[in-house]
Amino acid sequence: MEERDTSGSFLSIDPTMTRNGTDLDLSGNFDFESLILDLLYLIIAVIGLAGNAAVLWQLCFRTQRNTFSIYILNLAAADVLYLILQIIFSLQGLITSSQFSSSSIANFLSTVTTLACIANLSILSAISTERCLSVLCPTWYRSCHPRHMSAVVCALLWALSLLLSILEGFYCDILEEDTDDG
């Protein structure tokens, strides 16, 4: 971490130093805390994946689609995508103590994770907006609401989420190159 002198300015910024000034062990020895956290993340992600898979199954094959079921279906799909990536990251942390060997794989998985998070939050916002419309303007909502509007909104949200996650990935790559140069 960083050390400060009595004036408050930084003495050094070294990621291999702890608060008390001792070196961190970067030799790849097992870190018990990260092992427990990765195992906990894995268990929670598998349980969440099972629950979201049940929601996907129910909404795809068992119930008739309406406006809100389209949103919930897309929300469950975004959750499944995120949870699959969380399982991959947790398994990678349990199997090896190092990061992915290829930075292109890590960048791709980071972009897909960002896509799932942005899509998830966007669909939650769309659900809230749709519910407000149905409560505040019930007559208009029943008579004038376009039939396929929820599917179009979900498609647009996925497209915008993809665009934002790709732009975020490029922006982070540019920042990383700038810090490597400087």
Side-chain angles (χ1 to χ4, degrees):
M1 296 301 231
E2 59 267 357
E3 297 177 20
R4 293 183 187 220
D5 62 5
T6 56
S7 67
S9 62
F10 292 106
L11 292 174
S12 68
I13 299 176
D14 187 4
T16 63
M17 300 291 284
T18 61
R19 285 187 188 260
N20 60 8
T22 59
D23 288 334
L24 289 175
D25 183 17
L26 298 177
S27 62
N29 293 341
F30 241 41
D31 184 14
F32 191 67
E33 290 175 6
S34 67
L35 176 70
I36 290 176
L37 283 176
D38 283 332
L39 192 60
L40 185 64
Y41 291 152
L42 182 66
I43 291 169
I44 291 171
V46 167
I47 292 169
L49 188 63
N52 280 296
V55 169
L56 282 174
W57 173 261
Q58 186 72 22
L59 290 176
C60 284
F61 301 112
R62 298 288 182 194
T63 57
Q64 187 171 351
R65 293 198 181 125
N66 61 23
T67 302
F68 294 108
S69 68
I70 298 293
Y71 286 122
I72 302 299
L73 180 69
N74 280 277
L75 183 64
D79 284 341
V80 164
L81 180 63
Y82 180 79
L83 289 170
I84 287 172
L85 290 168
Q86 184 61 47
I87 289 171
I88 290 170
F89 287 132
S90 296
L91 287 175
Q92 184 268 334
L94 288 172
I95 294 171
T96 64
S97 60
S98 63
Q99 294 294 324
F100 287 100
S101 59
S102 171
S103 66
S104 62
I105 294 173
N107 288 341
F108 173 75
L109 291 177
S110 175
T111 301
V112 175
T113 302
T114 305
L115 165 70
C117 288
I118 293 173
N120 203 337
L121 293 173
S122 300
I123 293 168
L124 282 173
S125 298
I127 291 170
S128 296
T129 304
E130 191 87 19
R131 292 295 283 176
C132 283
L133 281 174
S134 70
V135 170
L136 293 176
C137 307
T139 306
W140 173 85
Y141 188 80
R142 281 190 213 112
S143 61
C144 298
H145 186 264
R147 180 180 170 144
H148 298 291
M149 186 171 176
S150 60
V152 170
V153 167
C154 286
L156 286 173
L157 290 176
W158 277 104
L160 288 173
S161 299
L162 179 62
L163 178 66
L164 282 173
S165 63
I166 290 172
L167 289 175
E168 188 265 341
F170 286 142
Y171 181 71
C172 287
D173 287 345
I174 291 170
L175 284 179
E176 186 177 301
E177 288 175 6
D178 287 345
T179 57
D180 289 343
D181 293 340

